[in-house]
Amino acid sequence: MAANFTKAPGSYACIRIVFICNVLTSLGVSALLGPFGLESREQAMDGAILLEKISQQILETHSLTQVTDKDLADYLGVKVTTISQYKRRNLTPLLVARLIRQSAVAHERRIVEESLRIIVEQFPISISVTNRAGNYRIFSISGEHTKPYYKGLKKELESSNGIYIFYDSRGKAIYAGKAKKQNLWKEINDVLNKKRAVQTIYNVYHPLNSEYTPSSEKRRNISKSPIYIGDYASYFSAYAIAENFIDKLEAYLIRAFPNDLTNIKMENI
């Protein structure tokens, strides 16, 4: 399994620059070239020693047992073949400066990629009842839903935090929420069963425990009553979001569509 070098979102790519600068200092290189401050263009260092030192720092920082060439390449933002080449040559200050820049760029890219990840979008909701209380669930994993896709999706939702959106049958967003304290699977299904005053429809009450008699069926009152999100949500989307971004991203979503969503609380950012 490849090592995961992404720090918690909010870290800056300059951490990588400081990290490698410390390595260079420990090797007797006092400064960096050009914009990084390298004093001598003639000063070069053994590539194998530099990469070994970086590997040692990675081991200590990330509590790993070993660092492969692929791990090192991923960390520095270069190809594995480049690592092999660097191990067999002296590195000029210019190459070291480029290596620092590539590492910073690779780190920034990983932060972006791992801070927001699509789990599923516009997925059809197949309401199932889970217990005697009649609680809704977005889909069951029995019957036709025993297919691998459903099981895999449920597992991914259970292992992720982030934000989600419900849509009606026309594909219009009706509710946006977040799952920060509990996983997306539990949060989405909990909200699906919430009866909220802001969600109402006019309907007629029918005495289902009484027999239906056409000749005695009378006109009944049409009254407004609250309904569950599960009564009219047809699709949902879910996104895995880094914890530090969940609150703000949910707030932005709600504020971006204040006339479409049924969320009661309008977040201030």
Side-chain angles (χ1 to χ4, degrees):
M1 180 180 293
N4 182 357
F5 300 121
T6 304
K7 287 181 173 291
S11 301
Y12 297 100
C14 62
I15 292 175
R16 287 296 174 90
I17 296 177
V18 173
F19 178 91
I20 298 179
C21 284
N22 289 337
V23 172
L24 294 173
T25 300
S26 71
L27 291 173
V29 179
S30 61
L32 297 175
L33 174 66
F36 298 104
L38 265 172
E39 296 173 348
S40 172
R41 291 180 178 270
E42 303 302 324
Q43 185 179 9
M45 66 185 69
D46 188 306
I49 295 177
L50 173 62
L51 294 177
E52 181 184 358
K53 191 70 174 179
I54 293 175
S55 295
Q56 290 174 358
Q57 293 291 322
I58 293 173
L59 285 172
E60 295 173 5
T61 304
H62 298 279
S63 302
L64 301 175
T65 56
Q66 66 174 352
V67 176
T68 66
D69 281 0
K70 185 179 186 309
D71 293 334
L72 195 55
D74 289 342
Y75 185 88
L76 295 174
V78 299
K79 297 179 180 179
V80 176
T81 53
T82 302
I83 295 295
S84 299
Q85 293 171 2
Y86 283 0
K87 285 183 175 180
R88 298 194 298 269
R89 62 182 294 187
N90 289 333
L91 302 183
T92 65
L94 180 59
L95 280 177
V96 174
R98 287 175 178 171
L99 191 62
I100 293 172
R101 182 178 182 279
Q102 286 174 308
S103 177
V105 170
H107 186 55
E108 287 180 341
R109 184 172 61 248
R110 268 195 294 272
I111 286 179
V112 172
E113 290 174 351
E114 298 189 16
S115 294
L116 193 158
R117 180 171 52 82
I118 298 172
I119 295 178
V120 71
E121 291 183 304
Q122 300 285 345
F123 193 79
I125 293 175
S126 302
I127 291 292
S128 65
V129 179
T130 61
N131 51 37
R132 291 182 179 180
N135 289 335
Y136 289 155
R137 192 159 58 181
I138 50 177
F139 59 80
S140 69
I141 52 171
S142 59
E144 65 175 291
H145 298 144
T146 55
K147 296 176 181 178
Y149 192 96
Y150 286 97
K151 291 183 177 180
L153 176 55
K154 180 176 182 289
K155 183 178 180 180
E156 187 66 24
L157 292 169
E158 287 176 327
S159 63
S160 303
N161 300 96
I163 61 171
Y164 58 91
I165 304 169
F166 285 120
Y167 308 88
D168 64 16
S169 60
R170 300 169 299 172
K172 179 181 177 181
I174 55 176
Y175 185 86
K178 64 183 177 183
K180 189 174 182 180
K181 295 182 179 179
Q182 57 185 2
N183 64 60
L184 278 163
W185 172 260
K186 190 172 189 331
E187 178 70 23
I188 287 173
N189 286 301
D190 283 353
V191 172
L192 203 68
N193 290 279
K194 285 185 178 179
K195 183 180 288 188
R196 303 162 68 242
V198 70
Q199 297 153 191
T200 60
I201 61 171
Y202 283 98
N203 60 14
V204 174
Y205 170 75
H206 299 277
L208 300 181
N209 291 325
S210 302
E211 291 188 10
Y212 175 78
T213 306
S215 59
S216 62
E217 182 67 5
K218 60 183 179 180
R219 184 177 62 189
R220 302 185 185 280
N221 291 331
I222 299 178
S223 58
K224 183 180 286 188
S225 60
I227 60 173
Y228 297 100
I229 289 182
D231 289 328
Y232 69 113
S234 298
Y235 306 92
F236 79 96
S237 293
Y239 304 87
I241 308 294
E243 182 179 358
N244 291 355
F245 297 153
I246 291 177
D247 290 332
K248 278 198 172 182
L249 191 50
E250 183 214 24
Y252 282 133
L253 275 176
I254 295 172
R255 292 177 65 87
F257 304 98
N259 297 311
D260 296 327
L261 302 177
T262 60
N263 294 65
I264 298 175
K265 187 178 180 182
M266 190 61 58
E267 304 284 354
N268 288 317
I269 301 172

